[in-house]
């Protein structure tokens, strides 16, 4: 028991602490601790650091550009090779099938999907920093590529006379599919090449941070809308219903309308095959998810279904008997590399920019998940370069844009993949399909491939259930999700992404422009200050108001700072000063008329009667003495009491104002000028302004902005709010405040001419940025 008490004693001591130190203002703290201002490096020093080279630095630069040199020397052959082989084979089978399926989304012949599943892996193996992602086609990106392809090469551009096509006497028009497909492949590969160039430029310029503006709610809404777009585009293939290729605003709506208008032409064989494929794939995928700890390798259901469906289609001759849509022809082997059509760049530059960002964002997001899980780092800029070079390389071989697929990456990781060796092995499996197995898949129904795509959209559609959770946690994020999703469905993926990005940035601007603020008070007996409205035991220091403004201060929210000041102190400093000047004018007139007399004891409204509206030090001894004016007389005006003139002057119940800048990260020049104006406005009505809890960079910024002078000094800046409060208490006990308008009152008696009082106006250097800009425009 005694031992337990002894163990509890240190804990009790640690629950309290006592600190004894001086009250620190900024000036005092700098003097005592000898502040060392940071010296920026000179241009010569920067040039030397940038241009210096050593063997070690050269090797580091090489490793940063070729990350394979970082992980391959430490590859554990005995521990990792078997796992990578198993993972590579499993991923390769899935990649083969997804390559065929996603080619439908890109609006190119399905065989080119195999190329897109093979070539990008070869370069990413050397240049990529993620060890687990499976590089290749992704539904969202493939659909974005397909929208560009369809807009630039619609069927209407390839209509020919059917008699010329068949050599018969039949009349009518048909689509020249051979020319159309060749042109679409050229457009897709050119777009891929341009996307790669943009990604390399982004990586070289070190702007990988751009993906940070694609917030998780924005990406969630965008990918869900993309999943809906993919579903609609594949629905007509499952039904084998021919429709026009719509693009742009409301294209998804037009496609749905025409699909249901022609639903009577549905091919029953394709519909049954598609529905069975969707059902089987979703059931088996659910089994894989629920029993993933018991099943060592996920069941490759897509591969199994494809093999079975191909056999059934070939044995039953579904194409000839039931007019089912099949793959028909898959190129065997590789096509020679072809240069891009540079003349098309101008027509696709806008779309390529959005595709480059989306493809990069998806890959990095997935890569970071596994990098965090396995404790290694992802270099965002190097990923830009890796995917850029991969797309440039694969674009020369008639591929479409590559990124990573969530389902394929999950297969590679869950089957034991440790490094990109698994990726190279998966590329080998795709290579076998390209060289030897392509011919065997020609009887496969397209509806089966479309059904495989739809079955893989389950994860994206499940993101809809994130909206209620987001609404409970943060309504703004939920609004971003919903807005991006709806905009992407209505406007299309490219414009929808841009609209969602702008909406997200708008919410940030609004939150900064209208930040949280509040009056703070002290927890008695502590140095802790909290919002007055949030706690019952909060006590505000006598005559002191404390305002915390939780945002950077700049031209857009400076009016918010001013309005929060008025709400906190309960009055407008400018109006108070102008009202006092108005009262002084009336007092001067009464003095001139002899109805009031000013003495050292106060203002006398009638001989022998003391004006009770002002405080007096002692009773007057002789009325005659009161009538003798003297220049040295000063009168303390109690502006909070009743005055002898009919002027409604707001009460000023405080003598000090503390601005807590603990959450202020920067100030622009408009904020600096406005804050200096605020100090002057309060000083004129005898309210001192202090600053507390500011960050060090603000002091440097204020020094560069010429904020400090003889009136505004560093001794009004304090390290903490409690330092400022204690300083104010000490000052109030040592000295009495003096009204800034005393001197004019004391001179009223002798002046024969009216003393000029002018209402306050802001000078040019005190103008807000909006007012100053208007003045410049007007001049």
């Amino acid at each position: 028991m005694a031992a337990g008490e002894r163990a509890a004693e240190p804990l009790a001591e640690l629950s309290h602490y006592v600190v004894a130190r001086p009250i620190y203002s900024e000036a005092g703290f700098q003097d005592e601790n000898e502040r060392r201002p940071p010296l920026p490096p000179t241009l010569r020093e920067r040039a030397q650091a940038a241009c210096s080279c050593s063997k070690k630095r050269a090797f580091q630069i090489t490793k940063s550009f070729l990350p394979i040199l970082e992980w391959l020397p430490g590859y554990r052959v005995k521990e990792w090779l078997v796992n990578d082989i198993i993972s590579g084979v499993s991923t390769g089978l899935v990649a083969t099938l997804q390559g065929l399926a996603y080619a439908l989304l890109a609006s190119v012949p399905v065989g080119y999907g195999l190329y897109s599943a093979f070539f990008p892996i070869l370069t990413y193996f050397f240049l990529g920093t993620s060890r687990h992602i499976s590089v290749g086609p992704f539904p969202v990106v493939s659909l974005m590529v397909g929208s560009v392809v369809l807009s630039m090469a619609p069927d209407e551009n390839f209509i020919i006379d059917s008699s010329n096509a068949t050599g018969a006497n039949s009349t009518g028009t048909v689509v020249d599919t051979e020319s159309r497909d060749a042109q679409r492949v050229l457009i897709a590969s050119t777009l891929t090449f341009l996307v790669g160039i943009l990604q390399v430029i982004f990586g070289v310029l070190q702007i990988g941070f751009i993906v940070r503006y694609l917030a998780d709610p924005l990406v969630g809404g965008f990918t869900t809308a993309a999943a809906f777009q993919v579903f609609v585009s594949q629905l007509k293939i499952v039904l084998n219903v021919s429709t026009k290729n719509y693009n742009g605003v409301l294209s998804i709506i037009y496609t749905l309308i025409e699909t249901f208008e022609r639903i009577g032409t549905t091919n029953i064989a394709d519909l049954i095959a598609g529905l069975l494929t969707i059902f089987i794939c979703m059931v088996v995928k659910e089994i894989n998810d629920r029993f993933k700890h018991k099943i060592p390798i996920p069941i490759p259901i897509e591969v199994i279904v494809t093999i079975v469906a191909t056999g059934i289609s070939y044995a039953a001759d579904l194409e000839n008997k039931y007019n089912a849509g099949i793959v028909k022809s898959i190129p065997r082997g590789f096509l020679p590399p072809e240069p891009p059509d540079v003349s098309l760049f101008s027509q696709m530059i806008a779309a390529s920019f959005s595709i480059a960002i989306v493809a990069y964002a998806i890959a990095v997001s997935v890569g970071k998940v596994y990098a965090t899980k396995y404790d290694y780092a992802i270099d965002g800029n190097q990923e830009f370069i890796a995917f850029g070079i991969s797309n440039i390389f694969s674009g020369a071989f008639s591929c479409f844009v590559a990124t990573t697929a969530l389902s394929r990456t999950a297969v590679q990781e869950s089957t034991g993949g440790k490094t990109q060796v698994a990726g190279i092995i998966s590329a080998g499996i795709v290579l076998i399909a390209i060289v030897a197995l392509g011919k065997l898949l020609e009887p496969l129904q397209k509806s089966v491939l479309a059904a495989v795509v739809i079955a893989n959209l389950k994860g994206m559609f499940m993101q809809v259930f994130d909206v209620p959770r987001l609404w409970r946690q943060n309504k703004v994020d939920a609004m971003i999700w919903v807005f991006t999703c709806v905009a992407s469905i209505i406007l299309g993926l490219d414009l929808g992404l841009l609209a969602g990005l702008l909406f997200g940035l708008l919410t940030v601007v609004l939150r900064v422009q209208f930040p949280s603020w509040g009056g703070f008070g002290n927890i008695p007996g502590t140095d802790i200050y909290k919002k007055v409205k949030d706690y019952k035991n909060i006590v505000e220091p006598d005559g002191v108001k404390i305002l915390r403004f939780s945002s950077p201060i700049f031209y857009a929210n400076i009016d918010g700072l001013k309005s929060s000041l008025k709400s906190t102190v309960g009055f407008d400093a400018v109006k108070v000063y102008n009202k006092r000047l108005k009262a002084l004018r009336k007092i001067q007139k009464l003095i001139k008329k002899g109805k009031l007399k000013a003495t050292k004891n106060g203002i006398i409204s009638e001989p022998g009667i003391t004006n009770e509206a002002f405080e007096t030090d002692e009773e007057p001894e002789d009325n005659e003495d009161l009538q003798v004016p003297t220049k040295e007389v000063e009168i303390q005006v109690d502006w909070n009491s009743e005055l002898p003139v009919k002027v409604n002057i707001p009460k000023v119940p405080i003598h000090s104002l503390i601005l807590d800048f603990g959450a202020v990260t920067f100030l622009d020049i408009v904020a600096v000028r406005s804050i200096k104006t605020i100090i002057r406005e309060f000083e004129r009505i005898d309210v001192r302004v202090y600053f507390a809890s500011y960050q060090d960079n603000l002091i440097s910024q204020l020094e560069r902005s010429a904020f400090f002078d003889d009136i505004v000094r560093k001794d009004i800046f304090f390290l903490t709010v409690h330092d400022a409060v204690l300083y104010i208490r000490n000052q109030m006990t040592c000295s009495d405040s003096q009204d800034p308008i005393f001197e004019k009152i004391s001179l009223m008696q002798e002046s024969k001419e009216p003393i000029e009082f002018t209402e306050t106006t802001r000078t040019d250097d005190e103008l807000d940025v909006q007012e100053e800009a208007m003045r410049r425009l007007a001049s």
Side-chain angles (χ1 to χ4, degrees), residues 686-742:
D686 201 27
V687 177
R688 292 278 290 167
V689 181
Y690 301 91
F691 299 86
S693 301
Y694 48 87
Q695 300 183 27
D696 290 340
N697 66 300
L698 291 187
I699 295 296
S700 302
Q701 193 171 356
L702 292 174
E703 289 174 343
R704 293 193 301 269
S705 303
F707 179 78
F708 299 106
D709 53 26
D710 294 337
I711 298 175
V712 182
R713 301 189 300 272
K714 289 184 180 179
D715 56 7
I716 64 173
F717 286 76
F718 291 87
L719 298 189
T720 66
V721 174
H722 201 56
D723 282 319
V725 171
L726 295 179
Y727 175 82
I728 292 169
R729 287 179 182 174
N730 291 341
Q731 290 295 106
M732 296 308 297
T733 57
C734 296
S735 62
D736 295 326
S737 62
Q738 187 178 27
D739 197 284
I741 316 179
F742 288 165

Side-chain angles (χ1 to χ4, degrees), residues 174-429:
V174 296
V175 177
D176 185 359
T177 56
E178 184 176 349
S179 300
R180 181 200 64 185
D181 290 345
Q183 182 64 19
R184 288 181 175 180
V185 169
L186 177 63
I187 293 172
S189 60
T190 301
L191 177 64
T192 303
F193 194 89
L194 181 57
V195 167
I197 292 175
L198 291 177
Q199 289 178 329
V200 170
I201 292 174
F202 292 154
V204 172
L205 296 179
Q206 303 286 299
I207 56 175
F209 67 87
I210 196 172
V211 74
R212 298 173 189 170
Y213 291 97
L214 301 179
D216 289 344
L218 186 147
V219 174
F222 175 76
T223 52
T224 303
F228 183 72
Q229 295 256 24
V230 170
F231 173 79
V232 172
S233 67
Q234 298 304 291
L235 178 63
K236 62 182 183 180
I237 298 178
V238 171
L239 300 175
N240 197 1
V241 172
S242 60
T243 64
K244 295 179 181 179
N245 296 318
Y246 296 98
N247 285 288
V249 178
L250 297 178
S251 60
I252 193 77
I253 307 299
Y254 297 143
T255 303
L256 272 176
I257 293 173
E258 188 174 358
T259 299
F260 285 108
E261 285 178 348
R262 301 188 178 186
I263 199 169
T265 62
T266 300
N267 186 289
I268 301 301
D270 285 332
L271 176 61
I272 293 174
L275 292 178
L276 285 175
T277 301
I278 293 173
F279 176 76
I280 294 172
C281 287
M282 294 186 71
V283 169
V284 175
K285 281 179 175 291
E286 188 66 24
I287 294 174
N288 285 338
D289 289 338
R290 292 194 177 186
F291 300 99
K292 59 184 177 181
H293 300 295
K294 297 181 179 179
I295 303 176
I297 300 176
I299 301 172
I301 186 60
E302 294 99 335
V303 178
I304 296 173
V305 167
T306 302
I307 295 173
V308 173
T310 303
I312 293 175
S313 176
Y314 177 77
D317 195 13
L318 295 180
E319 181 189 13
N320 295 324
K321 291 183 179 181
Y322 300 98
N323 198 27
I326 64 172
V327 174
K328 288 188 178 179
S329 63
I330 296 178
R332 188 172 183 177
F334 295 100
L335 298 176
E338 293 184 6
D341 188 351
V342 181
S343 62
L344 299 176
F345 281 2
S346 59
Q347 303 177 48
M348 56 178 62
I349 183 65
S352 62
F353 183 86
S354 58
I355 293 173
I357 297 299
V358 171
Y360 169 78
I362 292 171
V364 171
S365 299
V366 176
K368 283 185 176 180
V369 170
Y370 293 104
T372 302
K373 183 177 180 180
Y374 291 98
D375 193 24
Y376 64 91
I378 292 287
D379 185 345
N381 294 311
Q382 178 60 27
E383 286 296 293
F384 251 138
I385 295 174
F387 277 102
I389 294 179
S390 294
N391 283 319
I392 291 174
F393 174 69
S394 58
F397 289 92
S398 304
C399 301
F400 51 90
V401 180
T403 176
T404 185
L406 282 68
S407 58
R408 197 168 59 245
T409 299
V411 170
Q412 180 166 318
E413 186 269 340
S414 61
T415 52
K418 301 297 183 182
T419 64
Q420 283 299 328
V421 171
I424 283 293
I425 294 174
S426 69
I429 301 298

Side-chain angles (χ1 to χ4, degrees), residues 435-584:
V435 174
L437 302 180
K439 198 73 175 175
L440 300 178
L441 295 174
E442 290 182 355
L444 177 63
Q445 292 171 269
K446 288 184 179 180
S447 62
V448 173
L449 293 177
V452 169
V453 173
I454 293 174
N456 279 287
L457 298 177
K458 176 188 173 183
M460 295 186 190
F461 281 126
M462 294 299 290
Q463 294 179 118
V464 174
F465 296 102
D466 292 341
V467 178
R469 176 182 57 82
L470 283 174
W471 184 260
R472 291 191 299 268
Q473 295 176 352
N474 191 312
K475 292 180 173 56
V476 175
D477 287 342
M479 292 171 62
I480 293 174
W481 196 104
V482 173
F483 180 88
T484 305
C485 182
V486 173
S488 299
I489 290 174
I490 295 176
L491 302 178
L493 294 181
D494 48 357
L495 293 179
L497 177 63
L498 178 61
L501 180 60
L502 293 178
F503 182 78
L505 293 177
L506 178 62
T507 62
V508 174
V509 171
L510 292 178
R511 280 185 275 188
V512 173
Q513 188 169 353
F514 303 103
S516 62
W517 58 272
F520 274 48
N522 177 247
I523 303 293
T526 70
D527 61 348
I528 299 172
Y529 291 80
K530 293 291 183 180
K531 270 189 179 181
V532 175
K533 295 181 180 179
D534 293 347
Y535 296 89
K536 293 182 179 180
N537 297 328
I538 289 289
V539 177
E540 289 188 278
D542 293 336
V544 180
K545 288 289 185 180
I546 304 170
L547 171 65
R548 181 181 179 88
F549 196 75
S550 302
S551 167
I553 304 176
F554 61 109
Y555 65 92
N557 66 0
I558 191 64
D559 289 334
L561 173 63
K562 294 176 182 178
S563 62
S564 63
L565 268 176
K566 295 175 185 177
S567 300
T568 301
V569 300
F571 58 85
D572 186 336
V574 175
K575 290 183 178 179
V576 170
Y577 184 69
N578 289 335
K579 290 286 187 180
R580 290 184 180 183
L581 291 180
K582 186 176 181 180
L584 290 177

